[in-house]
Amino acid sequence: MPQHSPRDLPEGDPFGAAALPYGIFTTPDAPDRPRVGVRYGAYVLDAAAAAAAHGSPHAPLLARPTLNALMAAGRPTWQAVRAEIRTWLDGSEDHFHPLDEVTLHLPFEVADYVDFYASEHHASNVGRIFRPGAEPLTPNWKHLPIGYHGRAGTIVVSGTDVVRPQGQRKAPADEAPTFGPSLRLDIEAEVGFVVGTPAPENTPVTLDGFRDHVFGVCLVNDWSARDIQAWEYVPLGPFLGKSFATSVSAWITPLEALDAARTAPPERTHALLPYLDDSTAEPGGIDLRLEVTINGEVVSRPPFSAMYWTAAQQLAHMTVNGASLRTGDFYASGTVSGPEPDQLGCLLELTAGKGPYLADGDVVTITAWAPGPDGTRVGLGEVTGRIVPARDGSGTERC
Ligand SMILES: O=C(O)/C=C/C(=O)CC(=O)CC(=O)O
Ligand SMILES: [Ca+2]
Ligand SMILES: [Mg+2]
């Protein structure tokens, strides 16, 4: 049944009271006034307007063009605001806007961006393709969550077109590199974690500190130009092959909404150093069911519960050297791939390195949901993007 009023939430809607993700939106009558919204079914609750109408002390955190002020306010405030929002859901209908009548914006100002490599299935598959003949997993892989620093300034909100990147490519058999549009443009289905509470330098975040620092979770597509990447990445890792654009969903799901989806990570095959040892910590895995479609056709259903390294371990690792955390720091899980052939999170793996990769005009959409309390579902929204031709206008066939 379509939702004619915010009060008619359809049974089983994944954007019910158990989810309540945050975003930043504008309405056509006030395009210059981005503010905090909360998704409820097919509607966006204007949290700033509802807070003002209810005399909430948190109104100033919500009448903002990004989530950063709310994110910086810390976990007790996140809990208080979420509890208040639940009481506003049956308030004035004037505070709700149909989702298809609003514009959604990049929900937070990104500070630093790190991308990890936490799926054993993905890392092994990619290792076999990129480094045939070598051990697929490097000797450090089971001892630390491998990551690299990405480009914060090119993170874009879902719905933004992605211009096919250009750069140097050189296949092993080529005599010299050539310059041009990437011919092996790929996706990476990932889950992102948004830091709210900062941490000063030289105070590493423990596994238990994860909940106090991470505000919420979103979906990520780490677009990857495999030809550029394969030629440039030795020895310092990914650079221009990934820095042209990274798409994130418009909705940030509060960590608390995923409590019922917590699950034990895969069994650890190697003893971990104390700061990463999660054998006695609360279950660090999260049961998120991702689905990847290209031009409307499902190509994969990657299970996030299969990730070897957890988001809590990644945060502990990121800060163990004394590095500080800022509000808006953002880290992505790494490509989510499961053990089955229909659970792989990128075309490199789905096509065993042979392609085809993305063609101009292709639309890639990643969605996900998690089990919520009492048999409900918690939707994570979607991250979508369309490939548009390289800036030099050269046509690129499906390749
Ligand atoms: O060289 C490799 O093994 C591959 C590296 C990546 O593609 C990096 C990356 O983005 C990792 C990930 O998403 O899991
Ligand atoms: Ca990645
Ligand atoms: Mg990227």
Side-chain angles (χ1 to χ4, degrees), residues 12-96:
D13 192 293
F15 296 99
L20 303 179
Y22 292 102
I24 295 292
F25 76 104
T26 48
T27 44
D29 60 322
D32 300 327
R33 198 160 55 82
R35 54 210 193 266
V36 176
V38 175
R39 180 157 174 184
Y40 187 57
Y43 287 79
V44 177
L45 168 70
D46 184 334
H54 288 87
S56 165
H58 302 115
L61 297 177
L62 301 170
R64 302 280 185 118
T66 68
L67 295 174
N68 289 53
L70 174 62
M71 285 158 41
R75 189 169 167 218
T77 303
W78 307 338
Q79 290 170 325
V81 171
R82 192 165 154 81
E84 272 188 298
I85 288 168
R86 289 220 166 96
T87 70
W88 301 338
L89 295 176
D90 50 13
S92 168
E93 293 202 6
D94 294 349
H95 298 145
F96 290 87

Side-chain angles (χ1 to χ4, degrees), residues 156-206:
V156 297
V157 71
S158 176
T160 307
D161 283 348
V162 173
V163 178
R164 180 179 296 273
Q166 305 198 78
Q168 286 199 26
R169 310 128 329 161
K170 183 189 167 302
D174 296 345
E175 219 163 83
T178 57
F179 184 88
S182 170
L183 301 176
R184 299 175 69 199
L185 183 56
D186 199 353
I187 58 171
E188 287 189 339
E190 306 198 19
V191 175
F193 295 84
V194 183
V195 171
T197 310
E201 58 196 17
N202 298 312
T203 53
V205 177
T206 63

Side-chain angles (χ1 to χ4, degrees), residues 121-163:
H121 308 289
H122 170 74
S124 309
N125 293 334
V126 171
R128 277 189 283 268
I129 295 166
F130 271 16
R131 295 172 283 278
E135 272 301 313
L137 289 185
T138 48
N140 55 357
W141 201 93
K142 287 283 181 90
H143 294 279
L144 53 83
I146 295 178
Y148 67 95
H149 281 277
R151 194 165 186 90
T154 58
I155 292 182
V156 297
V157 71
S158 176
T160 307
D161 283 348
V162 173
V163 178

Side-chain angles (χ1 to χ4, degrees), residues 218-243:
C218 65
L219 296 173
V220 179
N221 188 345
D222 178 23
W223 306 97
S224 298
R226 299 301 181 193
D227 40 5
I228 297 173
Q229 179 185 355
W231 167 231
E232 75 175 355
Y233 87 104
V234 183
L236 288 185
F239 189 33
L240 303 181
K242 286 166 179 282
S243 65

Side-chain angles (χ1 to χ4, degrees), residues 339-361:
E340 303 300 331
D342 58 354
Q343 297 181 330
L344 305 171
C346 64
L347 295 172
L348 179 73
E349 291 174 85
L350 285 164
T351 68
K354 299 187 184 79
Y357 291 92
L358 296 173
D360 292 345

Side-chain angles (χ1 to χ4, degrees), residues 286-291 301-305 367-371 377:
I286 311 179
D287 180 9
L288 303 177
R289 325 273 175 98
L290 277 63
E291 184 175 273
R301 291 198 171 91
F304 191 67
S305 58
T367 59
W369 62 274
R377 282 186 179 199

